[in-house]
Structure formats: C-alpha cells, structure tokens
Amino acid sequence: GSKNIQAKLVLLGDMGTGKTSLVLRFVKGQFSEYQESTIGAAFFTQVLSLNEATIKFDIWDTAGQERYHSLAPMYYRGAAAAIVVYDITSMDSFLRAKKWVQELQRQGNSSVIMFLVGNKADLAEKREVGNEEGEQYAKENGLSFLETSAKTAQNVNELFYEIAKRLEKA
Ligand code: GTP
C-alpha cells in the first residue's frame, strides 16, 4: 500500500473490563489471567497493513479506576478512534460504558471512530448484559459494536482491523 496513516487510539472503560488484555492480545498475541490493573495509562504501538494503506496505531490504554478519571481527556483528546469497553458479566460496567460514550460525545473529537465492545464473551454462563442490549445501545448512539474475548481471541483482530479499514477510508 502507498498510504501511511498514524492514528491515535484510546481505550476507555471500567476497571477490570479487559482493556489491557485486549491490547496485549492484539499487540503480542498473549493473554494473562493475572493481568495487573493499569496505573495512569499505558502506551503501545502496532502496525496493521491493509491493501491500500499501512496503519500505525498509537494506543493509549487508560486506567479504569475512578481515581484516574480526570486524566482521561488527555488521552481521548485528538484520538482518531476510541474503544469503550465493558464486561458482559457486569451490568455496572455497561452503565459505566454508557457514561464514557456520553463524555466522548460531549467532549471528544467529533469525527472520532467509536466502538462499543462487550468483552469477556467467553464467560457466557455469568452474562449480565445481553448481546442485543449492547447492540441496541450502540445503534441508538451511532457506534459500532462487537463482543470480544481477550482470552479466546474472539473478534479481537476483527475489532482493530475494522477500525483500520475505517481510518483508511476517512
Ligand atoms: P484496569 O487497568 O484496572 O482499568 O483494567 P483493564 O480494563 O485493563 O482489565 P485487565 O486487562 O487488567 O483485565 C482484568 C481481569 O480480567 C484480568 O484478570 C484478566 O485476565 C481478565 N480478563 C480480561 N479479558 C478477559 C476475557 O476476555 N475473558 C476472561 N475470562 N477474562 C478476561
């Protein structure tokens, strides 16, 4: 491909929803049951090659703990793409995700490519948030939606690939 695109991507969502795990699955192909909670934020890069372009992601993995909330604007400001993550086994995390979507819609970059992601799809027996519930909310708010599992890798590459394709077109 001829186009080189560098894009800032941010992950937001409640603590423990699997933001770091999704990034590590995508960047390193790894998963840990004992992933430590992020302090402040963590930075990763990854390159995805498409037919017409090479996308270099600058990924900001933010900390979900409430005490870090005030730092978030530094990371979502100027972001080309945002992934808002909840845990399908936690209704609280879904409510928190809705708050993030509202905050991004009010204060984020208006052309941001936004994904709502229900992670831990492998834990179906503990599910508290229905697939349709996530999908419906996303649809009503003009977001894209996927359920993922950082553990099994379900839809993880698809998520970043979808974002890359949108950035290529943008
Ligand atoms: P903070 O940094 O505190 O905001 O958390 P986080 O959103 O980055 O979550 P993290 O990636 O640290 O994952 C939290 C816990 O959930 C860890 O024990 C992970 O192993 C586990 N986890 C993450 N993704 C999945 C998943 O898809 N399935 C299962 N079963 N566990 C997961």
Side-chain angles (χ1 to χ4, degrees), residues 39 67 70:
I39 295 169
R67 68 177 110 148
S70 62

Side-chain angles (χ1 to χ4, degrees), residues 16-21 32-33 35 37-38 64 119-120 122 150-151:
T17 53
K19 298 177 295 299
T20 303
S21 299
S32 168
E33 297 278 358
Q35 185 57 49
S37 193
T38 302
N119 188 43
K120 308 197 187 182
D122 58 289
K151 185 171 180 175

Side-chain angles (χ1 to χ4, degrees), residues 5 29 38 53-54 62-63 73 76 88 99 107 131-132 141-142:
I5 299 168
T38 302
T54 299
T62 66
Y76 64 67
I88 66 149
K99 296 278 182 213
Q107 321 208 29
N131 182 288
E132 323 68 46
N141 289 276

Side-chain angles (χ1 to χ4, degrees), residues 15-19 21-22 31 85-89 117-127 147-151 154:
M15 61 180 289
T17 53
K19 298 177 295 299
S21 299
L22 287 166
F31 175 78
V85 184
Y86 65 92
D87 169 351
I88 66 149
T89 74
V117 166
N119 188 43
K120 308 197 187 182
D122 58 289
L123 298 178
E125 72 286 355
K126 290 199 201 162
R127 181 188 282 277
E147 283 195 353
T148 60
S149 168
K151 185 171 180 175
Q154 176 191 332

Side-chain angles (χ1 to χ4, degrees), residues 26-95:
F26 172 55
V27 172
K28 298 190 175 171
Q30 293 173 355
F31 175 78
S32 168
E33 297 278 358
Y34 308 104
Q35 185 57 49
E36 283 175 19
S37 193
T38 302
I39 295 169
F43 180 71
F44 300 86
T45 63
Q46 177 69 310
V47 176
L48 259 187
S49 292
L50 304 177
N51 285 333
E52 304 293 329
T54 299
I55 314 288
K56 179 172 178 265
F57 284 114
D58 286 339
I59 303 172
W60 286 101
D61 167 25
T62 66
Q65 292 179 48
E66 189 51 40
R67 68 177 110 148
Y68 299 116
H69 186 174
S70 62
L71 300 179
M74 287 201 303
Y75 301 107
Y76 64 67
R77 207 168 285 141
I83 302 174
V84 176
V85 184
Y86 65 92
D87 169 351
I88 66 149
T89 74
S90 162
M91 185 54 78
D92 278 353
S93 77
F94 183 55
L95 300 177

